[in-house]
Structure formats: structure tokens, C-alpha cells
Amino acid sequence: MTAATFPQALSATDPVRYRADLEQPEPDEAETIQGLTDALHKVSATVYEDSGHAERSVHAKSHALLRGVLQVDAGLPATLAQGIFKTPGSHEVVMRFSTNPGDILNDKVSTPRGLAVKVLGVEGDRLPGSEDETSQDFVMQNAKAFTAPTPKAFLKNLKMLAGTTDKAPGLKQALSAVLRGLEKGIEAVGGESGTIKSLGGHPLTHLLGETYTTVLPLRYGEYVAKIAVVPVSPALVALKDAPVDLDDKPDGLREAMRTFFETQSAEWEIQVQLCTNLETMPIEDASKEWPEEESPFVRVATIRAEPQPAWTDARHALVDDSMAFGPWKGVVEHQPLGGVMRARKSTYTHSVDFRSQANGCPMHRLAGTADLPD
């Protein structure tokens, strides 16, 4: 993914302006969301019953917990100078790299990767439920679209996955190897299957070579967009599709992240893809990839992380056990949009509440990254 320059962005079709009626909830959406909440609770409750420790219902296993600095670009055109990117300046950030399942698995069960970014010290009117916070969270995956178009379709997939939580880890590892071979064959002829990847067929590659996007749309001030975090420093670019040795290394992805950040820094661009056509860039069909030839991703900021301990027991205790990330933790100007995003509001809240109560650990809010231990 290459960011367009400002002139290219400005010459594109005028971006769609945000308005409330862009969202069209299904009549039975509340019932579907309750079903999603129940299925995700089943994942968390099963892991808690088996291990005595409550984990996130999705993206339970972290591989790096980083401090960094986000720098908003100066001179952005008006269409891009929106929300927290309106004013040039810097913000401290916490970055959590993870993989998809809600149970803690050997890394050879290879699933899609996630990145949660918590931008600290932001100003603006708050989204409901986050009024006492001062962060903006972006929850991302290494994909450009979601695996299901609607909450109802996602619920069908989730019920199946919830039933396999904490079951047959050896079989999952064997199945993952088969699915990786199948995905490799599909990609060899120019295709890709998000479903196969989600079931364990993701290639065994380095997390730092991946591009992460919000996958789903959100409000971008006066407009609507998807947001991406794209590796740009040479050391990161060199890791695109780079294999990771996981033989006898159940936490090999974490080890690779630790090794990298022992001596090297990393830089990413934050890029924005504005919605310019509601037919080809729908709000309610989460599985639709927005065509970049119609609206390219454009740089608005950078994130830089210096060498540091990428994962320690102390960071794990703070970030994994007593911090929460979610797309509804932020400002009104970045309100999540579409059915799957609406479903994330109550399901994420329920997951956080369950973790906090089961572990007897209230959620912690960082004032700054100096609070992040080594």
C-alpha cells in the first residue's frame, strides 16, 4: 500500500460527507448483537474456567506492547485535517500487537494479526461510554475488509469458533498447517481467502511486515474513512512476508518482536482512505474492500517506536490485564460506523467488564507512556 500525495488526493472525487442516515441498522440488530455478546462471553468464560484467568474474547495473545510517538503532519488539506489529525503536533501512543483467537495458542496455529493503537492526550467531544477518558483508540487487523458483511453473518461464524475454544490444540495446529498450504495455493494464482486465514491459514510471517487497517469505516470529522498503519522504515519494509522460525517456539512471534526492538527503531505512516462512492464503498457491508483506484490511501501522520523491551511480564500485567482498547473509546469525530462497528460497542464493554470482575483487576488509564514499565 503506497500513500498518495496531497495533489492526487485532492483531484479525486469529492469525499462523501458524514450524516447520520449513512447507517441503516437491521430491524432485529439488537437481538443479533445480544447473540454476539453471548457467543463472545462463551469464549471468555471457557478460557477462564480452564485456566483461572480471564482473557480478551478476541485477540487474547499479545506479541508486542510498545510505546511510541504519533506525529500529525503539517500542511494537510482540509479534507484530511480532520478529527485528531486536525492540528499538527505529537501524541504518545501505546501499540498492542496480537493474533485473533480468544484462547492462548501455539503460534503455529496461525491466524490474522491485530494492532490496537491508543493515542493519548486527545481533545474533543467524547463518544458515549468514554466520557472520562482522553484517548483515541484504533482497532485494526492486517486486512482491508471484514470476513462477514453483517453482524448476523458474523454471528454464524462466531458460534462455530466459540465451540472450539480451548479444545484440541494439537488438532488446531495440524489443521492450521493444512490451511496454510491451501491459502498458499490460492495466493499463487492471485487470490486470497480471508475465511481460510481466519481459521488458521495465515502464513507464518513476521507481524512487523504487515499493513493494518481499521477494516471497517468510521467517521473522519466531516467525512467517512478507513484508517491504515503502514510500515515505512527500511527495517520494517524488509520484513514484508518474511518467515518466522516457530519450530519448538510456541511464542516465536513474541520472540521475533523482542529481538527486533532490542536494537532497532520502527516507523509507520498513518494513512486515510476517504469514502468517495457509497455504491463501491458501502457503510453497512463490512466485507467490501474499498477500491484504492477510486480513493487512494493518503498519509496524515507517522508513528515512531524506539528500541525498547517489546514484551515483558510487567508490560503484560499492565497492558494485557488492566487496559482496554476499543473502537468506541474515542472522540465523536471518529465515531465507528456500520453494523459490525455498532455491535462492537456493547460486546467490547461486556468483555472488559468480565475480565475486570473475574480477575479482580480494575481497568487502568495511562496518563502517558512513562507509566508503561520495562
Side-chain angles (χ1 to χ4, degrees):
M1 182 187 297
T2 302
T5 60
F6 294 162
Q8 286 175 292
L10 292 174
S11 65
T13 304
D14 288 341
V16 172
R17 288 189 176 271
Y18 168 76
R19 59 183 193 274
D21 66 357
L22 292 178
E23 295 190 276
Q24 299 291 328
E26 293 290 330
D28 59 349
E29 188 168 279
E31 180 182 344
T32 302
I33 291 175
Q34 184 58 55
L36 286 165
T37 302
D38 293 343
L40 290 166
H41 176 80
K42 181 179 179 180
V43 172
S44 297
T46 299
V47 171
Y48 179 65
E49 290 168 7
D50 292 346
S51 69
H53 189 81
E55 306 283 357
R56 288 167 169 81
S57 53
V58 291
H59 291 277
K61 187 174 184 178
S62 67
H63 305 287
L65 307 166
L66 304 175
R67 63 167 67 97
V69 176
L70 181 154
Q71 181 71 43
V72 178
D73 288 352
L76 293 174
T79 52
L80 297 175
Q82 300 284 327
I84 69 167
F85 305 101
K86 187 179 300 180
T87 305
S90 63
H91 298 273
E92 293 180 314
V93 299
V94 177
M95 306 174 75
R96 181 182 188 269
F97 290 83
S98 61
T99 38
N100 191 51
D103 42 355
I104 307 296
L105 298 170
N106 187 304
D107 287 345
K108 279 195 171 181
V109 182
S110 188
T111 58
R113 287 77 191 281
L115 169 61
V117 179
K118 186 179 291 289
V119 186
L120 304 178
V122 303
E123 298 179 352
D125 294 335
R126 304 293 304 178
L127 289 165
S130 72
E131 292 89 350
D132 59 344
E133 303 190 36
T134 57
S135 69
Q136 172 63 52
D137 291 7
F138 297 112
V139 177
M140 302 180 166
Q141 298 176 31
N142 64 325
K144 295 181 182 177
F146 198 62
T147 53
T150 63
K152 192 172 293 185
F154 179 44
L155 178 57
K156 291 180 181 179
N157 297 340
L158 184 60
K159 284 181 176 179
M160 177 184 68
L161 292 173
T164 68
T165 300
D166 266 12
K167 292 182 179 178
L171 181 60
K172 287 180 180 178
Q173 190 169 319
L175 176 61
S176 183
V178 172
L179 293 173
R180 286 197 299 274
L182 183 58
E183 175 63 20
K184 185 176 181 180
I186 293 172
E187 293 183 3
V189 294
E192 184 179 11
S193 172
T195 299
I196 289 176
K197 285 184 175 182
S198 70
L199 294 173
H202 195 285
L204 297 175
T205 50
H206 205 295
L207 279 76
L208 289 175
E210 303 283 358
T211 288
Y212 298 86
T213 83
T214 56
V215 178
L216 303 162
L218 66 161
R219 184 174 171 183
Y220 191 72
E222 297 179 24
Y223 306 103
V224 175
K226 292 183 180 182
I227 295 178
V229 170
V230 184
V232 292
S233 55
L236 295 188
V237 174
L239 293 174
K240 180 175 172 56
D241 299 325
V244 177
D245 178 15
L246 299 179
D247 288 341
D248 300 319
K249 296 178 180 178
D251 300 323
L253 293 175
R254 185 179 297 163
E255 292 178 28
M257 298 290 270
R258 279 171 159 170
T259 298
F260 180 94
F261 281 103
E262 282 177 356
T263 58
Q264 299 186 79
S265 60
E267 187 168 318
W268 299 263
E269 287 183 355
I270 296 183
Q271 299 178 7
V272 171
Q273 184 186 31
L274 294 171
C275 177
T276 58
N277 183 339
L278 290 171
E279 293 296 320
T280 58
M281 306 175 196
I283 304 302
E284 295 294 349
D285 184 350
S287 65
K288 181 70 172 178
E289 183 177 330
W290 289 7
E292 293 182 50
E293 60 270 20
E294 292 188 38
S295 179
F297 280 86
V298 184
R299 168 179 157 163
V300 295
T302 58
I303 296 177
R304 185 172 179 84
E306 300 296 343
Q308 60 189 286
W311 197 99
T312 65
D313 289 338
R315 286 195 180 187
H316 165 65
L318 176 62
V319 180
D320 287 339
D321 285 346
S322 61
M323 284 180 63
F325 298 79
W328 287 87
K329 291 181 177 295
V331 296
V332 171
E333 288 187 295
H334 295 308
Q335 175 187 328
L337 301 175
V340 175
M341 279 291 211
R342 290 192 296 274
R344 283 177 163 179
K345 187 174 190 299
S346 59
T347 55
Y348 273 56
T349 299
H350 180 86
S351 176
V352 170
D353 290 345
F354 178 78
R355 280 198 297 128
S356 180
Q357 293 168 13
N359 293 334
C361 181
M363 292 296 107
H364 183 80
R365 297 181 179 90
L366 288 185
T369 57
D371 293 343
L372 197 66
D374 288 338

